Amino acid sequence: MKKNPFVISLIGLSSSGKTTLGHRLYTHLREEKTQSLQLIDGDNVRDFLRGKIGYTPKDRKLSAAIQTQLAYFLYQHGISSIVCNISPFEESRIFARQKIPCLVEVYVKCSLETCMDRDRKLGKNVYKPVLEGATSNVNVVGVDIDFEEPLSADITLNTEVEDTEDSFSRLIEYLAVKLEYSMSMSLV
């Protein structure tokens, strides 16, 4: 397996499937003997910073910058990372690409309606105020904070029409070419 570090950034709306695919990819790469690998999940970073960072557009930009900085520091020390973050602003994504030359941006695309349905079924309650009728001042990406469609995603996985297996398989195939190494295609 190629030894150069890489950063894979999975972006998209809450409940689009970023964390599911990120964890699946992390497990797969560890099984493939990727030596130094870290999973950075936006929810975990937010939990760590509990009370120090909110959900406003300004806070979301700060959160994206913090996660970019974590991935950058790991990259500088030869550690690859998988970053799962909404990252709603193109400005933040451009910044990440400028800082991390080997960044692979994966857009996990899914409609707001499907994400809201998944959120309700998972009990995450991110969209609960919206489901109760609120549409302003809720600081929810896709509702009153725009999610800017990525202008230069390396690959788009449409989790609304693809199941997890299909999205994961396409991601593995893409990464094998993009990162120039061979991976076992075993999805188990």
Side-chain angles (χ1 to χ4, degrees):
M1 177 170 284
K2 189 172 181 177
K3 299 200 186 273
N4 293 338
F6 54 82
V7 176
I8 300 166
S9 176
L10 290 99
I11 62 167
L13 293 174
S14 182
S15 295
S16 62
K18 300 176 304 297
T19 299
T20 299
L21 288 167
H23 279 277
R24 183 87 183 269
L25 181 59
Y26 177 83
T27 299
H28 184 77
L29 291 174
R30 294 300 293 169
E31 289 170 355
E32 292 293 319
K33 308 295 186 231
T34 300
Q35 293 301 314
S36 299
L37 181 65
Q38 183 62 50
L39 179 68
I40 302 170
D41 187 277
D43 291 337
N44 294 338
V45 171
R46 192 172 288 286
D47 285 346
F48 181 80
L49 297 171
R50 182 152 321 273
K52 306 235 184 286
I53 192 166
Y55 295 91
T56 66
K58 182 179 177 182
D59 289 330
R60 290 180 182 279
K61 288 178 183 178
L62 176 60
S63 177
I66 289 168
Q67 291 172 61
T68 296
Q69 184 176 26
L70 286 170
Y72 177 71
F73 286 157
L74 292 169
Y75 171 77
Q76 284 188 311
H77 289 89
I79 301 169
S80 297
S81 60
I82 301 165
V83 182
C84 306
N85 183 21
I86 293 172
S87 193
F89 306 112
E90 187 65 20
E91 170 188 353
S92 298
R93 295 180 222 130
I94 290 169
F95 175 76
R97 282 186 180 276
Q98 290 171 341
K99 292 293 181 184
I100 306 168
C102 64
L103 185 131
V104 177
E105 185 177 290
V106 180
Y107 177 28
V108 183
K109 183 176 183 172
C110 191
S111 72
L112 177 62
E113 294 75 23
T114 298
C115 290
M116 289 172 61
D117 186 53
R118 290 175 183 172
D119 176 83
R120 184 184 49 75
K121 289 176 182 173
L122 293 169
K124 290 174 65 176
N125 297 320
V126 169
Y127 298 105
K128 186 176 181 180
V130 179
L131 294 171
E132 293 173 349
T135 56
S136 62
N137 297 318
V138 291
N139 289 321
V140 175
V141 174
V143 178
D144 64 338
I145 298 174
D146 286 337
F147 179 87
E148 298 171 1
E149 290 280 320
L151 299 177
S152 53
D154 293 290
I155 182 172
T156 298
L157 303 174
N158 189 335
T159 61
E160 184 150 2
V161 296
E162 294 177 331
D163 64 19
T164 302
E165 295 298 323
D166 290 337
S167 291
F168 182 70
S169 178
R170 283 197 331 109
L171 179 58
I172 290 296
E173 289 171 4
Y174 179 81
L175 293 174
V177 172
K178 177 77 175 184
L179 301 177
E180 299 174 356
Y181 62 82
S182 64
M183 295 175 141
S184 163
M185 287 308 294
S186 169
L187 301 179
V188 179

